[in-house]
Amino acid sequence: MKVKILWHAVASWTWDAQDETCGICRMAFDGCCPDCKLPGDDCPLIWGACNHAFHLHCILKWVNSQTSQAHCPMCRREWQFKG
């Protein structure tokens, strides 16, 4: 007599961020920013020193669009990438 055991595993991933959506584009973190087609390595989350998280592309656009020192779009503290 042979016994065959079948099982199916399901895995999922999520970003460990305080919010569920990007504060700039308002797209879900488990998705991607409007500039990307697929979530993951090409569209990672970036945290600031203030602990707010954004899509990489969103925060880079935000920082580059500021005429003076960039500030966090959520708390208005001086923007610094968390290191």
Short mmCIF file of all heavy atoms in Angstrom, two decimals, residues 6-76:
data_model
loop_
_atom_site.label_atom_id
_atom_site.label_comp_id
_atom_site.label_asym_id
_atom_site.label_seq_id
_atom_site.Cartn_x
_atom_site.Cartn_y
_atom_site.Cartn_z
N LEU A 6 -0.50 15.01 -0.32
CA LEU A 6 -0.42 16.24 -1.12
C LEU A 6 -0.75 17.43 -0.23
O LEU A 6 -1.67 17.38 0.57
CB LEU A 6 -1.41 16.20 -2.27
CG LEU A 6 -1.22 15.09 -3.29
CD1 LEU A 6 -2.36 15.10 -4.29
CD2 LEU A 6 0.10 15.29 -4.02
N TRP A 7 0.01 18.47 -0.38
CA TRP A 7 -0.32 19.70 0.32
C TRP A 7 0.11 20.87 -0.55
O TRP A 7 1.00 20.77 -1.36
CB TRP A 7 0.32 19.76 1.70
CG TRP A 7 1.82 19.73 1.71
CD1 TRP A 7 2.63 18.65 1.55
CD2 TRP A 7 2.69 20.85 1.87
NE1 TRP A 7 3.93 19.01 1.60
CE2 TRP A 7 4.01 20.36 1.81
CE3 TRP A 7 2.50 22.20 2.06
CZ2 TRP A 7 5.12 21.19 1.92
CZ3 TRP A 7 3.60 23.01 2.18
CH2 TRP A 7 4.88 22.51 2.11
N HIS A 8 -0.57 21.94 -0.38
CA HIS A 8 -0.29 23.15 -1.16
C HIS A 8 0.04 24.28 -0.19
O HIS A 8 -0.73 24.56 0.72
CB HIS A 8 -1.50 23.54 -2.00
CG HIS A 8 -1.89 22.48 -2.98
ND1 HIS A 8 -1.30 22.35 -4.20
CD2 HIS A 8 -2.79 21.48 -2.90
CE1 HIS A 8 -1.83 21.33 -4.84
NE2 HIS A 8 -2.75 20.78 -4.06
N ALA A 9 1.16 24.89 -0.41
CA ALA A 9 1.57 26.00 0.44
C ALA A 9 1.30 27.32 -0.28
O ALA A 9 1.45 27.43 -1.49
CB ALA A 9 3.05 25.90 0.77
N VAL A 10 0.86 28.27 0.48
CA VAL A 10 0.61 29.59 -0.06
C VAL A 10 1.42 30.58 0.77
O VAL A 10 1.41 30.53 1.99
CB VAL A 10 -0.89 29.95 0.01
CG1 VAL A 10 -1.13 31.36 -0.47
CG2 VAL A 10 -1.71 28.96 -0.79
N ALA A 11 2.12 31.45 0.09
CA ALA A 11 2.91 32.47 0.79
C ALA A 11 2.52 33.85 0.28
O ALA A 11 2.07 34.00 -0.86
CB ALA A 11 4.40 32.22 0.56
N SER A 12 2.68 34.80 1.11
CA SER A 12 2.46 36.18 0.69
C SER A 12 3.47 37.06 1.39
O SER A 12 4.08 36.65 2.38
CB SER A 12 1.03 36.63 1.02
OG SER A 12 0.85 36.68 2.41
N TRP A 13 3.67 38.27 0.87
CA TRP A 13 4.60 39.19 1.49
C TRP A 13 3.91 40.54 1.60
O TRP A 13 3.00 40.86 0.86
CB TRP A 13 5.89 39.30 0.68
CG TRP A 13 5.68 39.83 -0.71
CD1 TRP A 13 5.42 39.11 -1.83
CD2 TRP A 13 5.69 41.21 -1.11
NE1 TRP A 13 5.27 39.95 -2.90
CE2 TRP A 13 5.42 41.24 -2.49
CE3 TRP A 13 5.90 42.40 -0.44
CZ2 TRP A 13 5.37 42.42 -3.21
CZ3 TRP A 13 5.83 43.58 -1.16
CH2 TRP A 13 5.58 43.58 -2.52
N THR A 14 4.38 41.28 2.55
CA THR A 14 3.92 42.66 2.72
C THR A 14 5.10 43.49 3.20
O THR A 14 6.05 42.96 3.78
CB THR A 14 2.78 42.79 3.76
OG1 THR A 14 3.26 42.31 5.01
CG2 THR A 14 1.56 42.00 3.35
N TRP A 15 5.04 44.76 2.94
CA TRP A 15 6.04 45.67 3.46
C TRP A 15 5.70 45.96 4.91
O TRP A 15 4.54 46.05 5.29
CB TRP A 15 6.03 46.98 2.67
CG TRP A 15 6.50 46.85 1.26
CD1 TRP A 15 5.72 46.84 0.13
CD2 TRP A 15 7.85 46.72 0.80
NE1 TRP A 15 6.51 46.72 -0.99
CE2 TRP A 15 7.81 46.64 -0.60
CE3 TRP A 15 9.07 46.67 1.45
CZ2 TRP A 15 8.96 46.51 -1.37
CZ3 TRP A 15 10.21 46.55 0.68
CH2 TRP A 15 10.15 46.47 -0.71
N ASP A 16 6.71 46.12 5.72
CA ASP A 16 6.52 46.43 7.14
C ASP A 16 6.54 47.95 7.32
O ASP A 16 7.50 48.52 7.78
CB ASP A 16 7.62 45.76 7.97
CG ASP A 16 7.37 45.90 9.46
OD1 ASP A 16 6.23 46.18 9.86
OD2 ASP A 16 8.33 45.73 10.23
N ALA A 17 5.45 48.60 6.90
CA ALA A 17 5.33 50.05 7.01
C ALA A 17 4.17 50.39 7.93
O ALA A 17 3.27 49.58 8.14
CB ALA A 17 5.09 50.65 5.62
N GLN A 18 4.19 51.59 8.49
CA GLN A 18 3.13 52.01 9.40
C GLN A 18 1.80 52.17 8.66
O GLN A 18 0.75 51.94 9.23
CB GLN A 18 3.50 53.33 10.06
CG GLN A 18 4.68 53.23 10.98
CD GLN A 18 5.12 54.60 11.49
OE1 GLN A 18 4.74 55.64 10.96
NE2 GLN A 18 5.91 54.60 12.54
N ASP A 19 1.85 52.60 7.42
CA ASP A 19 0.65 52.82 6.63
C ASP A 19 0.51 51.74 5.56
O ASP A 19 1.42 50.96 5.34
CB ASP A 19 0.71 54.19 5.94
CG ASP A 19 0.77 55.34 6.93
OD1 ASP A 19 0.03 55.29 7.93
OD2 ASP A 19 1.56 56.28 6.70
N GLU A 20 -0.62 51.74 4.90
CA GLU A 20 -0.84 50.77 3.82
C GLU A 20 -0.67 51.40 2.45
O GLU A 20 -0.58 50.69 1.46
CB GLU A 20 -2.24 50.17 3.94
CG GLU A 20 -2.42 49.32 5.18
CD GLU A 20 -3.80 48.70 5.27
OE1 GLU A 20 -4.56 48.79 4.29
OE2 GLU A 20 -4.12 48.14 6.32
N THR A 21 -0.64 52.74 2.39
CA THR A 21 -0.52 53.42 1.11
C THR A 21 0.58 54.47 1.16
O THR A 21 0.91 55.01 2.21
CB THR A 21 -1.85 54.12 0.72
OG1 THR A 21 -2.17 55.07 1.73
CG2 THR A 21 -2.96 53.13 0.55
N CYS A 22 1.11 54.78 0.01
CA CYS A 22 2.13 55.81 -0.13
C CYS A 22 1.47 57.17 0.08
O CYS A 22 0.42 57.45 -0.51
CB CYS A 22 2.74 55.72 -1.53
SG CYS A 22 3.95 57.02 -1.91
N GLY A 23 2.08 58.01 0.90
CA GLY A 23 1.53 59.32 1.18
C GLY A 23 1.62 60.29 0.02
O GLY A 23 1.03 61.36 0.06
N ILE A 24 2.34 59.94 -1.03
CA ILE A 24 2.48 60.82 -2.18
C ILE A 24 1.53 60.41 -3.30
O ILE A 24 0.71 61.21 -3.75
CB ILE A 24 3.94 60.83 -2.69
CG1 ILE A 24 4.85 61.39 -1.58
CG2 ILE A 24 4.07 61.65 -3.97
CD1 ILE A 24 6.33 61.28 -1.87
N CYS A 25 1.59 59.15 -3.73
CA CYS A 25 0.74 58.71 -4.86
C CYS A 25 -0.56 58.06 -4.41
O CYS A 25 -1.45 57.84 -5.22
CB CYS A 25 1.52 57.77 -5.77
SG CYS A 25 1.81 56.12 -5.05
N ARG A 26 -0.66 57.72 -3.12
CA ARG A 26 -1.84 57.06 -2.54
C ARG A 26 -2.10 55.66 -3.09
O ARG A 26 -3.19 55.13 -2.95
CB ARG A 26 -3.10 57.92 -2.71
CG ARG A 26 -3.01 59.26 -2.03
CD ARG A 26 -3.01 59.07 -0.56
NE ARG A 26 -3.02 60.35 0.13
CZ ARG A 26 -2.64 60.52 1.35
NH1 ARG A 26 -2.20 59.51 2.04
NH2 ARG A 26 -2.66 61.69 1.91
N MET A 27 -1.09 55.05 -3.69
CA MET A 27 -1.20 53.67 -4.16
C MET A 27 -0.75 52.75 -3.01
O MET A 27 0.09 53.13 -2.20
CB MET A 27 -0.32 53.43 -5.39
CG MET A 27 -0.68 54.29 -6.58
SD MET A 27 -2.29 53.93 -7.26
CE MET A 27 -1.98 52.37 -8.03
N ALA A 28 -1.30 51.55 -2.98
CA ALA A 28 -0.98 50.59 -1.91
C ALA A 28 0.49 50.19 -1.97
O ALA A 28 1.07 50.06 -3.05
CB ALA A 28 -1.86 49.36 -2.05
N PHE A 29 1.08 49.98 -0.80
CA PHE A 29 2.47 49.54 -0.74
C PHE A 29 2.66 48.13 -1.27
O PHE A 29 3.73 47.77 -1.72
CB PHE A 29 3.00 49.61 0.70
CG PHE A 29 3.33 51.01 1.14
CD1 PHE A 29 3.06 51.40 2.45
CD2 PHE A 29 3.90 51.94 0.30
CE1 PHE A 29 3.38 52.67 2.88
CE2 PHE A 29 4.22 53.21 0.71
CZ PHE A 29 3.95 53.58 2.01
N ASP A 30 1.63 47.29 -1.22
CA ASP A 30 1.77 45.95 -1.76
C ASP A 30 1.62 45.94 -3.28
O ASP A 30 1.77 44.92 -3.92
CB ASP A 30 0.82 44.95 -1.10
CG ASP A 30 -0.64 45.30 -1.28
OD1 ASP A 30 -0.93 46.38 -1.83
OD2 ASP A 30 -1.49 44.50 -0.87
N GLY A 31 1.35 47.08 -3.84
CA GLY A 31 1.34 47.28 -5.29
C GLY A 31 2.61 48.00 -5.67
O GLY A 31 3.67 47.75 -5.13
N CYS A 32 2.49 48.93 -6.59
CA CYS A 32 3.66 49.71 -6.97
C CYS A 32 3.23 51.14 -7.30
O CYS A 32 2.04 51.44 -7.37
CB CYS A 32 4.39 49.07 -8.15
SG CYS A 32 3.37 48.80 -9.61
N CYS A 33 4.20 51.99 -7.50
CA CYS A 33 3.90 53.38 -7.81
C CYS A 33 3.37 53.49 -9.23
O CYS A 33 3.47 52.55 -10.02
CB CYS A 33 5.16 54.23 -7.62
SG CYS A 33 6.40 54.04 -8.91
N PRO A 34 2.80 54.63 -9.60
CA PRO A 34 2.25 54.79 -10.95
C PRO A 34 3.28 54.66 -12.07
O PRO A 34 2.92 54.39 -13.21
CB PRO A 34 1.67 56.21 -10.94
CG PRO A 34 1.42 56.51 -9.51
CD PRO A 34 2.48 55.77 -8.74
N ASP A 35 4.57 54.82 -11.76
CA ASP A 35 5.61 54.72 -12.79
C ASP A 35 6.03 53.28 -13.08
O ASP A 35 6.72 53.04 -14.06
CB ASP A 35 6.86 55.51 -12.36
CG ASP A 35 6.60 57.00 -12.34
OD1 ASP A 35 5.63 57.46 -12.97
OD2 ASP A 35 7.37 57.71 -11.66
N CYS A 36 5.65 52.34 -12.23
CA CYS A 36 6.10 50.94 -12.39
C CYS A 36 4.94 50.04 -12.79
O CYS A 36 3.78 50.35 -12.53
CB CYS A 36 6.70 50.44 -11.08
SG CYS A 36 8.23 51.28 -10.66
N LYS A 37 5.29 48.90 -13.36
CA LYS A 37 4.27 47.94 -13.78
C LYS A 37 4.11 46.81 -12.77
O LYS A 37 3.04 46.25 -12.64
CB LYS A 37 4.64 47.36 -15.15
CG LYS A 37 4.59 48.40 -16.23
CD LYS A 37 4.91 47.79 -17.57
CE LYS A 37 5.13 48.86 -18.55
NZ LYS A 37 4.63 49.19 -19.61
N LEU A 38 5.19 46.45 -12.07
CA LEU A 38 5.16 45.34 -11.13
C LEU A 38 5.76 45.75 -9.80
O LEU A 38 6.78 46.45 -9.76
CB LEU A 38 5.94 44.14 -11.68
CG LEU A 38 5.43 43.53 -12.98
CD1 LEU A 38 6.41 42.51 -13.52
CD2 LEU A 38 4.07 42.90 -12.77
N PRO A 39 5.18 45.31 -8.69
CA PRO A 39 5.76 45.61 -7.38
C PRO A 39 7.00 44.76 -7.13
O PRO A 39 7.24 43.78 -7.82
CB PRO A 39 4.64 45.24 -6.41
CG PRO A 39 3.85 44.21 -7.13
CD PRO A 39 3.95 44.56 -8.59
N GLY A 40 7.77 45.15 -6.15
CA GLY A 40 8.93 44.34 -5.77
C GLY A 40 10.21 45.13 -5.81
O GLY A 40 10.25 46.30 -5.44
N ASP A 41 11.28 44.48 -6.27
CA ASP A 41 12.61 45.07 -6.23
C ASP A 41 12.75 46.35 -7.03
O ASP A 41 13.57 47.20 -6.71
CB ASP A 41 13.65 44.06 -6.72
CG ASP A 41 13.81 42.88 -5.77
OD1 ASP A 41 13.44 43.04 -4.58
OD2 ASP A 41 14.27 41.83 -6.21
N ASP A 42 11.99 46.48 -8.11
CA ASP A 42 12.10 47.69 -8.93
C ASP A 42 11.35 48.87 -8.34
O ASP A 42 11.50 49.99 -8.78
CB ASP A 42 11.59 47.42 -10.35
CG ASP A 42 12.50 46.47 -11.10
OD1 ASP A 42 13.70 46.40 -10.75
OD2 ASP A 42 12.02 45.80 -12.04
N CYS A 43 10.52 48.61 -7.35
CA CYS A 43 9.74 49.68 -6.73
C CYS A 43 9.69 49.48 -5.21
O CYS A 43 8.64 49.23 -4.63
CB CYS A 43 8.33 49.70 -7.31
SG CYS A 43 7.43 51.21 -6.91
N PRO A 44 10.86 49.59 -4.56
CA PRO A 44 10.91 49.33 -3.12
C PRO A 44 10.37 50.51 -2.31
O PRO A 44 10.17 51.61 -2.84
CB PRO A 44 12.40 49.16 -2.85
CG PRO A 44 13.05 50.04 -3.87
CD PRO A 44 12.18 49.91 -5.10
N LEU A 45 10.16 50.27 -1.05
CA LEU A 45 9.80 51.34 -0.13
C LEU A 45 11.06 51.94 0.44
O LEU A 45 12.05 51.25 0.66
CB LEU A 45 8.95 50.81 1.03
CG LEU A 45 7.59 50.24 0.68
CD1 LEU A 45 6.80 49.99 1.95
CD2 LEU A 45 6.84 51.14 -0.25
N ILE A 46 11.00 53.23 0.69
CA ILE A 46 12.12 53.95 1.29
C ILE A 46 11.58 54.66 2.53
O ILE A 46 10.54 55.30 2.49
CB ILE A 46 12.70 54.98 0.30
CG1 ILE A 46 13.24 54.29 -0.95
CG2 ILE A 46 13.77 55.84 0.96
CD1 ILE A 46 14.40 53.35 -0.69
N TRP A 47 12.32 54.53 3.63
CA TRP A 47 11.92 55.18 4.88
C TRP A 47 12.78 56.41 5.10
O TRP A 47 13.97 56.43 4.78
CB TRP A 47 12.11 54.23 6.06
CG TRP A 47 11.01 53.25 6.22
CD1 TRP A 47 9.94 53.37 7.05
CD2 TRP A 47 10.83 52.02 5.53
NE1 TRP A 47 9.11 52.27 6.92
CE2 TRP A 47 9.64 51.43 5.99
CE3 TRP A 47 11.56 51.36 4.55
CZ2 TRP A 47 9.17 50.22 5.52
CZ3 TRP A 47 11.10 50.15 4.07
CH2 TRP A 47 9.92 49.59 4.56
N GLY A 48 12.15 57.42 5.68
CA GLY A 48 12.88 58.61 6.09
C GLY A 48 13.28 58.49 7.55
O GLY A 48 12.81 57.60 8.26
N ALA A 49 14.11 59.41 8.01
CA ALA A 49 14.52 59.44 9.41
C ALA A 49 13.30 59.62 10.32
O ALA A 49 13.32 59.22 11.48
CB ALA A 49 15.53 60.55 9.64
N CYS A 50 12.22 60.19 9.79
CA CYS A 50 11.00 60.41 10.55
C CYS A 50 10.11 59.15 10.59
O CYS A 50 9.02 59.18 11.15
CB CYS A 50 10.22 61.56 9.93
SG CYS A 50 9.77 61.30 8.20
N ASN A 51 10.55 58.07 9.97
CA ASN A 51 9.86 56.78 9.91
C ASN A 51 8.65 56.75 8.97
O ASN A 51 7.87 55.82 9.01
CB ASN A 51 9.44 56.28 11.30
CG ASN A 51 10.63 55.77 12.07
OD1 ASN A 51 11.55 55.21 11.48
ND2 ASN A 51 10.64 55.98 13.36
N HIS A 52 8.49 57.74 8.12
CA HIS A 52 7.46 57.67 7.09
C HIS A 52 8.04 56.95 5.88
O HIS A 52 9.20 57.14 5.53
CB HIS A 52 6.97 59.07 6.70
CG HIS A 52 6.12 59.69 7.74
ND1 HIS A 52 6.47 60.82 8.42
CD2 HIS A 52 4.91 59.30 8.25
CE1 HIS A 52 5.53 61.13 9.29
NE2 HIS A 52 4.57 60.21 9.21
N ALA A 53 7.21 56.11 5.26
CA ALA A 53 7.67 55.31 4.11
C ALA A 53 6.96 55.76 2.85
O ALA A 53 5.78 56.15 2.88
CB ALA A 53 7.40 53.83 4.35
N PHE A 54 7.67 55.69 1.73
CA PHE A 54 7.14 56.06 0.42
C PHE A 54 7.73 55.12 -0.62
O PHE A 54 8.78 54.52 -0.41
CB PHE A 54 7.51 57.51 0.07
CG PHE A 54 7.09 58.51 1.10
CD1 PHE A 54 7.98 58.93 2.08
CD2 PHE A 54 5.80 58.99 1.12
CE1 PHE A 54 7.60 59.84 3.04
CE2 PHE A 54 5.40 59.91 2.08
CZ PHE A 54 6.30 60.33 3.05
N HIS A 55 7.09 55.03 -1.79
CA HIS A 55 7.72 54.34 -2.91
C HIS A 55 8.99 55.11 -3.27
O HIS A 55 9.01 56.35 -3.21
CB HIS A 55 6.80 54.33 -4.13
CG HIS A 55 5.58 53.50 -3.97
ND1 HIS A 55 4.32 54.04 -3.98
CD2 HIS A 55 5.42 52.17 -3.80
CE1 HIS A 55 3.42 53.08 -3.84
NE2 HIS A 55 4.07 51.94 -3.72
N LEU A 56 10.02 54.41 -3.66
CA LEU A 56 11.29 55.04 -4.04
C LEU A 56 11.08 56.12 -5.09
O LEU A 56 11.56 57.24 -4.95
CB LEU A 56 12.27 53.98 -4.55
CG LEU A 56 13.56 54.53 -5.16
CD1 LEU A 56 14.39 55.26 -4.12
CD2 LEU A 56 14.36 53.42 -5.80
N HIS A 57 10.36 55.79 -6.15
CA HIS A 57 10.18 56.75 -7.24
C HIS A 57 9.38 57.97 -6.80
O HIS A 57 9.65 59.09 -7.24
CB HIS A 57 9.49 56.08 -8.44
CG HIS A 57 10.28 54.93 -8.96
ND1 HIS A 57 9.76 53.67 -9.08
CD2 HIS A 57 11.57 54.84 -9.35
CE1 HIS A 57 10.68 52.85 -9.54
NE2 HIS A 57 11.80 53.53 -9.72
N CYS A 58 8.41 57.77 -5.94
CA CYS A 58 7.59 58.89 -5.46
C CYS A 58 8.42 59.87 -4.64
O CYS A 58 8.35 61.08 -4.86
CB CYS A 58 6.42 58.37 -4.64
SG CYS A 58 5.22 57.40 -5.58
N ILE A 59 9.20 59.37 -3.69
CA ILE A 59 9.96 60.28 -2.83
C ILE A 59 11.09 60.94 -3.61
O ILE A 59 11.41 62.11 -3.36
CB ILE A 59 10.48 59.58 -1.54
CG1 ILE A 59 10.95 60.63 -0.52
CG2 ILE A 59 11.55 58.57 -1.84
CD1 ILE A 59 9.90 61.56 -0.02
N LEU A 60 11.68 60.24 -4.58
CA LEU A 60 12.72 60.88 -5.39
C LEU A 60 12.14 62.04 -6.19
O LEU A 60 12.76 63.11 -6.30
CB LEU A 60 13.39 59.86 -6.31
CG LEU A 60 14.31 58.86 -5.62
CD1 LEU A 60 14.87 57.87 -6.63
CD2 LEU A 60 15.43 59.56 -4.85
N LYS A 61 10.97 61.86 -6.78
CA LYS A 61 10.31 62.96 -7.50
C LYS A 61 10.00 64.11 -6.56
O LYS A 61 10.18 65.27 -6.90
CB LYS A 61 9.00 62.48 -8.15
CG LYS A 61 9.18 61.76 -9.44
CD LYS A 61 7.81 61.47 -10.01
CE LYS A 61 7.88 60.61 -11.22
NZ LYS A 61 6.54 60.27 -11.73
N TRP A 62 9.50 63.78 -5.37
CA TRP A 62 9.15 64.80 -4.38
C TRP A 62 10.38 65.62 -4.00
O TRP A 62 10.36 66.84 -4.01
CB TRP A 62 8.53 64.14 -3.15
CG TRP A 62 8.20 65.10 -2.06
CD1 TRP A 62 9.01 65.46 -1.01
CD2 TRP A 62 7.00 65.84 -1.91
NE1 TRP A 62 8.37 66.37 -0.22
CE2 TRP A 62 7.13 66.62 -0.75
CE3 TRP A 62 5.82 65.91 -2.64
CZ2 TRP A 62 6.13 67.46 -0.30
CZ3 TRP A 62 4.82 66.74 -2.18
CH2 TRP A 62 4.98 67.51 -1.04
N VAL A 63 11.46 64.92 -3.65
CA VAL A 63 12.69 65.60 -3.22
C VAL A 63 13.24 66.47 -4.35
O VAL A 63 13.65 67.61 -4.13
CB VAL A 63 13.74 64.57 -2.74
CG1 VAL A 63 15.11 65.19 -2.57
CG2 VAL A 63 13.28 63.93 -1.43
N ASN A 64 13.23 65.95 -5.57
CA ASN A 64 13.78 66.70 -6.70
C ASN A 64 12.90 67.87 -7.12
O ASN A 64 13.37 68.78 -7.79
CB ASN A 64 14.03 65.77 -7.89
CG ASN A 64 15.16 64.81 -7.62
OD1 ASN A 64 16.08 65.10 -6.86
ND2 ASN A 64 15.10 63.63 -8.22
N SER A 65 11.63 67.87 -6.74
CA SER A 65 10.74 68.96 -7.12
C SER A 65 10.78 70.13 -6.14
O SER A 65 10.26 71.20 -6.44
CB SER A 65 9.29 68.45 -7.23
OG SER A 65 8.78 68.18 -5.93
N GLN A 66 11.41 69.93 -5.00
CA GLN A 66 11.48 70.99 -3.99
C GLN A 66 12.53 72.01 -4.39
O GLN A 66 13.63 71.67 -4.79
CB GLN A 66 11.83 70.40 -2.61
CG GLN A 66 10.86 69.33 -2.15
CD GLN A 66 9.45 69.86 -1.99
OE1 GLN A 66 9.22 70.78 -1.24
NE2 GLN A 66 8.52 69.28 -2.72
N THR A 67 12.17 73.29 -4.30
CA THR A 67 13.11 74.35 -4.69
C THR A 67 14.14 74.62 -3.60
O THR A 67 15.23 75.10 -3.88
CB THR A 67 12.34 75.65 -5.00
OG1 THR A 67 11.53 75.99 -3.88
CG2 THR A 67 11.47 75.47 -6.24
N SER A 68 13.80 74.35 -2.37
CA SER A 68 14.75 74.52 -1.28
C SER A 68 14.95 73.16 -0.61
O SER A 68 14.72 72.12 -1.22
CB SER A 68 14.23 75.55 -0.28
OG SER A 68 13.01 75.13 0.28
N GLN A 69 15.31 73.14 0.65
CA GLN A 69 15.50 71.89 1.39
C GLN A 69 14.21 71.07 1.36
O GLN A 69 13.15 71.58 1.65
CB GLN A 69 15.91 72.19 2.83
CG GLN A 69 16.10 70.97 3.69
CD GLN A 69 17.24 70.09 3.22
OE1 GLN A 69 18.29 70.59 2.81
NE2 GLN A 69 17.07 68.79 3.27
N ALA A 70 14.33 69.81 1.02
CA ALA A 70 13.15 68.93 0.94
C ALA A 70 12.66 68.58 2.34
O ALA A 70 13.44 68.41 3.26
CB ALA A 70 13.50 67.67 0.17
N HIS A 71 11.35 68.47 2.46
CA HIS A 71 10.71 68.09 3.71
C HIS A 71 9.83 66.87 3.47
O HIS A 71 9.34 66.66 2.36
CB HIS A 71 9.86 69.24 4.25
CG HIS A 71 10.68 70.42 4.66
ND1 HIS A 71 11.02 71.42 3.78
CD2 HIS A 71 11.24 70.73 5.84
CE1 HIS A 71 11.76 72.31 4.42
NE2 HIS A 71 11.91 71.92 5.67
N CYS A 72 9.61 66.10 4.52
CA CYS A 72 8.74 64.94 4.43
C CYS A 72 7.34 65.42 4.08
O CYS A 72 6.82 66.35 4.70
CB CYS A 72 8.71 64.20 5.77
SG CYS A 72 7.51 62.86 5.83
N PRO A 73 6.68 64.81 3.10
CA PRO A 73 5.33 65.24 2.72
C PRO A 73 4.28 64.96 3.80
O PRO A 73 3.20 65.53 3.77
CB PRO A 73 5.02 64.44 1.46
CG PRO A 73 6.15 63.53 1.22
CD PRO A 73 7.21 63.78 2.22
N MET A 74 4.61 64.12 4.77
CA MET A 74 3.64 63.78 5.81
C MET A 74 3.78 64.67 7.05
O MET A 74 2.80 65.19 7.55
CB MET A 74 3.79 62.32 6.22
CG MET A 74 3.60 61.34 5.06
SD MET A 74 1.98 61.42 4.32
CE MET A 74 1.04 60.58 5.56
N CYS A 75 4.99 64.83 7.55
CA CYS A 75 5.18 65.54 8.82
C CYS A 75 5.92 66.87 8.65
O CYS A 75 6.07 67.60 9.62
CB CYS A 75 5.90 64.66 9.83
SG CYS A 75 7.61 64.26 9.37
N ARG A 76 6.41 67.15 7.44
CA ARG A 76 7.10 68.39 7.11
C ARG A 76 8.46 68.56 7.79
O ARG A 76 9.02 69.64 7.79
CB ARG A 76 6.22 69.62 7.39
CG ARG A 76 4.88 69.60 6.71
CD ARG A 76 4.93 69.45 5.21
NE ARG A 76 5.59 70.59 4.60
CZ ARG A 76 6.13 70.58 3.40
NH1 ARG A 76 6.10 69.49 2.67
NH2 ARG A 76 6.71 71.63 2.92
#
